[in-house]
Amino acid sequence: MRINNLHIQNFKGIKEREVSFNPQFTVLIGDNGTGKTSILDVVAIGMGLVVQKIIPRSYKSPRPLHDNEIRKLKISPNNIEYADLFITGEFQVEQEKHIWGIKKSMTNLEVNKEHPKVAWAIGTSIAKNLKEDIDIPLMAYYSTARTSRVTHDQVQYGKIGSRTDGYLGGVNALIGKDSFLSWFKSFEDRALKFDEDKTLYYAFTQAISSMVPEWTDIKFHWALDDMLGKLEDGTWLPLSNLSDGYRGIVRLAADIAYRAIKLNPHLGADAVKETAGIVLIDELDLHLHPKWQKNIVQDLKRTFPKLQFIATTHSPFIVQSLEADEIINLDGYKIDQHPNTMSLDQNAAFMGVAHETSTVLANKTSLALDYLKILEEKEDKKVERERLEALIENSNDPVFKAKMQLEKLSKFGIE
């Protein structure tokens, strides 16, 4: 299952926009307020309609459309005027394409209804396959809260459960207890006590090691009640003690792998690599060091090759790792070559940033160039000194000012 395109009218700050997605990886870029997260939210609403018919104990969508997400035309102390919302999207399951839609008005009762029957039908069809060894799609949304430090009670010993557990909490973009920890704790315990088949256990740990090569081995520590990763030097690190960026990658890889295994256990060792579906990630670069930003797209593609990823980012390092057809620039900038052949300067310009260096450094560079230009000019020495002194005063960096003073002394000597 994947999503091919969306047409959005009057959702949050989006007046109207059409988006077509790459079948494997799409990254949305653009300035704040251009609608990157809103597009993820719309996809999540569509996925929620599908999941609504798969999880029998839920009759409401796990990611419903909220009234306050309808675009507001006018706001006054006594009144709010809403626009009419209209969304259509195209899901593709195998070779079949399914167009679903939602239409809602806050003022016209005749269109104050949702029309998600096609998405519901996809969910109903998936639900019929739950008792069979038929692959079902993964659907998950990881918001910017995914790296938050989760405070939880003791990790519970997980029950075997059902395949639908792989959908619980998946598309509502909320952060909660790490379900994969309960599964990992109980699975490892059963495997050790009863010598159960460890195929799914290894599929899970290998997915994490693929994303985090520094973790050469992974275990659950009962006294610490936490997952541990072993480094090449033999050091063991608890998940809860990692930095936000490091922990975010481990939790992302672990949660996706856990959901793939729960949904398609019949695939055995190939459950992680063969599970298809849609994964949304807001701010893919969140808390990541640039060296990980450079590799994360390729790591996700390699570890989860059958999943369709749709993400947002502000990182030129991530953009540089993409193909041209994997980028949607919501600011309207067009690219005429592969971003992986462009410099960081060029990618930053494509993202609407004049230069990837800071404003402070750019100003300092400009000041230095002006200073050198004056030193090379031949004019009245008094005028030159006055101009140089004025530039020196414009800098608030004492080291930089001292260097400029030395350059002045080398030309004019001590006054």
Side-chain angles (χ1 to χ4, degrees):
M1 177 177 171
R2 67 173 186 260
I3 185 165
N4 293 329
N5 54 64
L6 282 177
H7 178 85
I8 307 169
Q9 287 181 247
N10 299 319
F11 179 81
K12 293 187 176 181
I14 298 176
K15 183 177 181 181
E16 185 169 12
R17 188 177 288 277
E18 291 191 15
V19 187
S20 295
F21 301 104
N22 184 286
Q24 185 178 23
F25 219 106
T26 300
V27 174
L28 306 168
I29 63 175
D31 202 357
N32 289 334
T34 53
K36 300 186 297 297
T37 302
S38 295
I39 291 172
L40 298 187
D41 287 338
V42 172
V43 178
I45 289 171
M47 294 194 305
L49 295 171
V50 175
V51 173
Q52 179 179 352
K53 292 296 183 180
I54 302 174
I55 302 177
R57 53 187 171 274
S58 174
Y59 294 96
K60 295 182 179 179
S61 169
R63 178 45 175 103
L65 169 68
H66 302 292
D67 288 346
N68 63 6
E69 292 178 320
I70 300 175
R71 193 170 71 90
K72 301 165 186 65
L73 297 174
K74 188 182 295 184
I75 301 175
S76 68
N78 301 317
N79 185 49
I80 300 177
E81 183 180 341
Y82 292 91
D84 291 341
L85 176 139
F86 183 63
I87 295 169
T88 59
E90 183 180 271
F91 284 129
Q92 183 164 334
V93 182
E94 300 296 341
Q95 302 303 315
E96 296 184 5
K97 298 178 180 180
H98 308 266
I99 298 175
W100 56 275
I102 300 176
K103 187 175 183 181
K104 191 166 186 179
S105 171
M106 301 294 286
T107 56
N108 186 347
L109 295 179
E110 292 182 3
V111 294
N112 192 23
K113 295 181 179 180
E114 297 180 356
H115 298 279
K117 293 182 179 179
V118 172
W120 284 345
I122 297 173
T124 301
S125 176
I126 292 171
K128 292 179 180 178
N129 295 328
L130 293 176
K131 294 183 180 180
E132 306 291 336
D133 286 344
I134 298 176
D135 301 358
I136 58 176
L138 186 156
M139 288 173 275
Y141 184 4
Y142 300 95
S143 73
T144 54
R146 67 185 178 275
T147 60
S148 301
R149 293 188 178 273
V150 180
T151 57
H152 54 257
D153 299 327
Q154 182 181 12
V155 177
Q156 298 298 312
Y157 193 88
K159 297 179 180 179
I160 295 176
S162 69
R163 296 177 74 179
T164 58
D165 289 350
Y167 290 120
L168 295 176
V171 301
N172 57 17
L174 299 177
I175 199 74
K177 294 183 179 181
D178 290 322
S179 298
F180 66 83
L181 279 179
S182 292
W183 176 85
F184 185 60
K185 176 180 181 177
S186 59
F187 201 105
E188 184 182 70
D189 184 48
R190 291 198 306 271
L192 292 173
K193 286 181 178 177
F194 306 110
D195 196 29
E196 290 189 3
D197 183 2
K198 299 181 181 64
T199 301
L200 295 177
Y201 173 87
Y202 290 131
F204 176 79
T205 57
Q206 286 169 8
I208 299 174
S209 295
S210 177
M211 292 291 296
V212 188
E214 294 89 346
W215 278 26
T216 60
D217 196 6
I218 300 167
K219 301 291 184 183
F220 191 90
H221 196 291
W222 282 69
L224 293 176
D225 204 36
D226 203 356
M227 178 188 288
L228 300 182
K230 185 180 181 181
L231 303 181
E232 292 180 353
D233 64 3
T235 304
W236 288 90
L237 292 176
L239 175 62
S240 58
N241 288 1
L242 300 178
S243 66
D244 286 344
Y246 205 131
R247 187 176 62 257
I249 291 294
V250 174
R251 289 178 70 191
L252 180 67
D255 195 74
I256 295 175
Y258 156 75
R259 293 182 186 280
I261 289 167
K262 288 297 294 184
L263 293 169
N264 296 304
H266 60 282
L267 293 176
D270 296 323
V272 173
K273 290 190 174 294
E274 291 298 319
T275 293
I278 305 168
V279 172
L280 312 176
I281 308 174
D282 201 8
E283 295 192 23
L284 182 56
D285 53 296
L286 191 66
H287 300 309
L288 291 185
H289 188 278
K291 71 176 183 179
W292 273 12
Q293 293 179 26
K294 293 177 182 178
N295 299 321
I296 186 158
V297 171
Q298 297 307 316
D299 290 343
L300 288 169
K301 287 180 178 179
R302 181 187 65 254
T303 307
F304 310 104
K306 292 294 185 68
L307 292 176
Q308 178 189 31
F309 288 92
I310 304 173
T312 72
T313 191
H314 291 283
S315 168
F317 291 103
I318 287 178
V319 172
Q320 194 177 43
S321 70
L322 299 166
E323 300 295 330
D325 62 354
E326 294 176 329
I327 304 170
I328 297 176
N329 191 324
L330 300 180
D331 288 323
Y333 294 99
K334 301 296 183 182
I335 190 169
D336 56 4
Q337 65 184 101
H338 289 298
N340 52 23
T341 66
M342 296 163 59
S343 68
L344 282 180
D345 272 331
Q346 291 172 311
N347 273 292
F350 171 57
M351 297 177 72
V353 182
H355 200 280
E356 88 270 15
T357 56
S358 69
T359 302
V360 172
L361 181 57
N363 289 340
K364 189 183 293 185
T365 302
S366 176
L367 191 64
L369 291 173
D370 290 342
Y371 194 85
L372 291 172
K373 184 177 180 182
I374 293 173
L375 287 174
E376 292 172 357
E377 290 177 353
K378 298 184 181 299
E379 58 177 65
D380 183 270
K381 289 189 176 181
K382 180 181 179 181
V383 174
E384 277 187 87
R385 281 197 297 269
E386 289 176 351
R387 291 174 64 194
L388 291 173
E389 286 292 348
L391 283 178
I392 291 173
E393 288 302 315
N394 283 336
S395 173
N396 57 5
D397 182 336
V399 176
F400 191 56
K401 290 175 74 168
K403 288 181 178 179
M404 289 195 290
Q405 287 282 15
L406 288 173
E407 290 289 344
K408 181 169 77 79
L409 286 173
S410 67
K411 181 169 183 178
F412 299 110
I414 299 176
E415 299 176 9

